[in-house]
Amino acid sequence: MGADLYRTPDERFEALPDFPFEPHYRVVDGLRIAHLDEGEGRPVVFFHGEPTWSYLWRNVIPPVRDAGHRCVAPDYAGFGRSDKPTDLDWYSYDRHTELAATLLADLDLRDATVVVHDWGGPIGLRLAVEHRDRISRIVIMDTGLFTGEQPMAEAWYAFRNFVERTEDLPISMLVRNACARGMDDEVAAAYDAPFPTRESKAGARAFPLILPTSPEMLGAAAGKRALEALRGDGRPTLVLWADSDPVLPLKVGEAFAGLIGAAAPTRIDNASHFLQEDAGEEIGGLIADWLE
């Protein structure tokens, strides 16, 4: 690959624990973009966040797939098996959203459910607004829409400042520290697998730095438009929230659900920000039951 693009060697993804899914690839704007595609039926699209990849959904997907749904989980550019531009300035909210929209079009996904977490919220919820003809249902987990007006916890500012000054980001440590039930070393290694070098971590470093914390910042206006469009939207919406998220506490989930007219969150007990690690099978079962 060119000096400005990193592709993680395929052998880094061999024999990852509890991850038997085969990758699928598309080429978009010269980038090889990866996704999972499991099962048949109405599509359910899982949008990961920072600094994770589709591996995050490995325990959530099987109950949903086995209930008769097609489960699609992309890796954003800069994450997972997808190509990784090495320039931090390449990454933006608009660019991530535009690339994610090509997945909906290329796979011709219709009557879909989007499942969003962390940065998957700003991306997937914006897609739900801009591609209403393709998205019929929404599942929200520990995320929101960034308008530049949203309050951010001190824990988030500490995280953002750490990322800004740390070029060689300790990916698995960030995930591990935001789990309530612990994490095996082999699972931690799977989160590190896509990022073997400093240059491969540009996307993971970029996300916290582009999050708008004032209405004047790039992406804030788009986030506000999406939020306004979701108020009273009417589409079936399920909100699941961890009981022990230090970055986005349960009260944030309750407030966000109220803002968009959704029912109060279903609380996931003994779970932190990466609730899919703490309670993946439980979450998959709740989504599958709700879809029925």
Side-chain angles (χ1 to χ4, degrees):
M1 308 299 293
D4 58 350
L5 200 63
Y6 183 89
R7 178 173 294 174
T8 305
D10 289 341
E11 56 265 25
R12 295 279 299 181
F13 301 102
E14 294 176 357
L16 299 183
D18 302 317
F19 198 61
F21 313 119
E22 290 296 321
H24 300 259
Y25 296 102
R26 299 174 300 125
V27 176
V28 184
D29 294 340
L31 298 172
R32 189 181 77 165
I33 304 295
H35 66 277
L36 306 180
D37 196 339
E38 297 286 320
E40 298 179 356
R42 290 188 304 181
V44 182
V45 189
F46 297 85
F47 291 101
H48 70 80
E50 152 76 7
T52 59
W53 58 293
S54 56
Y55 185 77
L56 177 76
W57 301 108
R58 71 192 182 284
N59 294 321
V60 180
I61 285 174
V64 180
R65 176 199 62 200
D66 295 347
H69 301 279
R70 179 185 180 185
C71 296
V72 177
D75 294 337
Y76 309 139
F79 294 83
R81 290 185 171 103
S82 291
D83 285 345
K84 300 170 178 66
T86 58
D87 182 359
L88 264 70
D89 292 336
W90 183 91
Y91 295 91
S92 72
Y93 179 29
D94 284 347
R95 180 165 271 161
H96 274 302
T97 306
E98 290 163 4
L99 284 172
T102 67
L103 178 79
L104 303 178
D106 290 349
L107 274 59
D108 194 23
L109 301 178
R110 299 182 182 277
D111 194 21
T113 300
V114 292
V115 182
V116 301
H117 174 254
D118 192 88
W119 258 99
I123 294 169
L125 294 177
R126 185 171 162 188
L127 292 179
V129 167
E130 296 177 356
H131 300 273
R132 190 184 176 98
D133 58 322
R134 295 185 180 276
I135 296 171
S136 303
R137 293 161 298 278
I138 302 169
V139 180
I140 298 169
M141 288 187 277
D142 292 61
T143 187
L145 280 161
F146 302 128
T147 65
E149 301 169 347
Q150 76 286 339
M152 302 299 294
E154 286 300 318
W156 182 83
Y157 282 106
F159 166 63
R160 190 238 185 246
N161 293 338
F162 174 76
V163 170
E164 186 173 34
R165 65 176 184 264
T166 307
E167 290 186 12
D168 196 3
L169 207 61
I171 301 294
S172 64
M173 185 194 81
L174 297 176
V175 182
R176 190 173 226 159
N177 287 350
C179 295
R181 306 184 193 181
M183 178 182 288
D184 294 340
D185 289 344
E186 294 79 7
V187 171
Y191 281 106
D192 286 325
F195 308 106
T197 67
R198 287 188 180 190
E199 64 178 353
S200 67
K201 300 177 183 181
R205 290 189 64 216
F207 260 145
L209 306 181
I210 63 175
L211 189 152
T213 54
S214 72
E216 296 75 29
M217 290 182 64
L218 287 174
K224 188 163 187 175
R225 285 194 299 271
L227 178 60
E228 292 299 326
L230 285 175
R231 293 179 190 270
D233 176 271
R235 276 174 288 184
T237 301
L238 172 67
V239 183
L240 306 174
W241 217 273
D243 67 340
S244 304
D245 188 334
V247 178
L248 296 171
L250 182 59
K251 65 181 181 181
V252 173
E254 293 168 342
F256 187 68
L259 272 177
I260 63 173
T266 297
R267 189 176 74 178
I268 307 300
D269 291 328
N270 191 22
S272 189
H273 183 67
F274 294 107
L275 60 168
Q276 302 92 333
E277 282 298 324
D278 291 320
E281 291 184 18
E282 176 187 350
I283 290 167
L286 287 169
I287 295 172
D289 291 345
W290 180 74
L291 289 172
E292 290 301 309

